[in-house]
Amino acid sequence: RMAAPAPPADPGPVASAPSSAAAAAGGDDKDDDVPIQKLIERRARRLLRQRQEAAAEAEEQRERRRERGKRPRQEPAGGGGRKQGELKARTDAFYNTARGDLVQKLLCRWWYALAWPEPHEMSPAPEGYEQLDGFPGVHVGTRADTLGHIMDTRDKARCPSLSNYSRMPTREIKELLQRAYEAQIAQLVEAEGEGTMLERALRQDMSRAAAVNASKADSEADQFFRKNGAL
């Protein structure tokens, strides 16, 4: 009989490939380190490029803001800003006149001297409206078709305003202002007694107003209006 073939020789344990951790830790096989190093370098270059682009964009935005700050301010269509500025300048100039100073003081206390509107001028609120609290003669819509609408029935010709008072003769302004000061002082004394600092200041203002020469103030005001126009 033929003998059975001998079994193959045992090759022994198979060697394992070096782990990536070992390679990253600086193993002997330098070929495995090259792709990782390149990946790190590419990532570093990409981050640097992103930071540079962000810095450039931020600088460009700052430059645009600086350029906008250098541009002259655009006025609203129709020159509304310029007209408002001119009106304020004329108003301030008028207040520097003798009549203008009296008008300014009267506008601060006109309700001590007169009632506006007069009680007999006020009409009841029409249907769909109610009187606005604190504003006699002014009605606000409360119905669906009038909701929020303001109806002002007061006499604008008698309105205590700069436009109306600036055209009033200085003598009449002085009379109204004298009446207003007297009523204000009377109410102040009733509430706080006599001799307060405010009372003394009001009496001094009243004396100065009474000393204004009405004729000279009218001449000055006429000259102002010829030069600057009505307010």
Side-chain angles (χ1 to χ4, degrees), residues 31 39 67 75 125-126 132 168 203 229:
D31 290 340
L39 180 62
E67 288 298 324
E75 290 187 355
L132 188 62
M168 185 180 294
R203 291 192 182 280

Side-chain angles (χ1 to χ4, degrees), residues 125 129-141 150-151 154:
Y129 288 83
E130 291 183 4
Q131 180 174 303
L132 188 62
D133 290 341
F135 295 89
V138 180
H139 312 296
V140 59
I150 300 296
M151 179 184 295
R154 298 173 296 182

Side-chain angles (χ1 to χ4, degrees), residues 64-114:
R64 284 198 294 266
R65 286 195 293 269
R66 284 194 292 266
E67 288 298 324
R68 284 197 297 267
K70 294 177 183 177
R71 295 174 189 168
R73 184 175 178 179
Q74 299 270 339
E75 290 187 355
R82 183 173 63 255
K83 291 180 180 178
Q84 289 293 330
E86 293 173 354
L87 178 59
K88 184 180 185 305
R90 294 205 328 269
T91 301
D92 291 343
F94 175 71
Y95 282 152
N96 286 327
T97 67
R99 183 194 289 180
D101 183 59
L102 296 176
V103 167
Q104 188 175 28
K105 289 179 169 59
L106 179 57
L107 288 172
C108 294
R109 52 184 54 83
W110 63 265
W111 52 92
Y112 289 108
L114 55 90

Side-chain angles (χ1 to χ4, degrees), residues 174-196:
K174 289 180 60 176
E175 292 174 357
L176 284 174
L177 186 55
Q178 177 80 13
R179 194 187 312 166
Y181 274 128
E182 290 174 351
Q184 184 178 6
I185 291 172
Q187 292 188 23
L188 174 64
V189 170
E190 183 180 356
E192 299 185 13
E194 296 182 346
T196 62

Side-chain angles (χ1 to χ4, degrees), residues 4-5 9 23 25 49 51 62 76 85 96 114 121 125 142-143 184 199:
R49 186 170 59 253
R51 291 175 182 173
R62 286 193 294 269
N96 286 327
L114 55 90
E121 296 176 345
T142 56
R143 202 169 55 189
Q184 184 178 6
E199 181 191 351

Side-chain angles (χ1 to χ4, degrees), residues 3 5 72 117-118 127 154 161 185 230:
E118 294 283 354
E127 186 178 355
R154 298 173 296 182
S161 65
I185 291 172

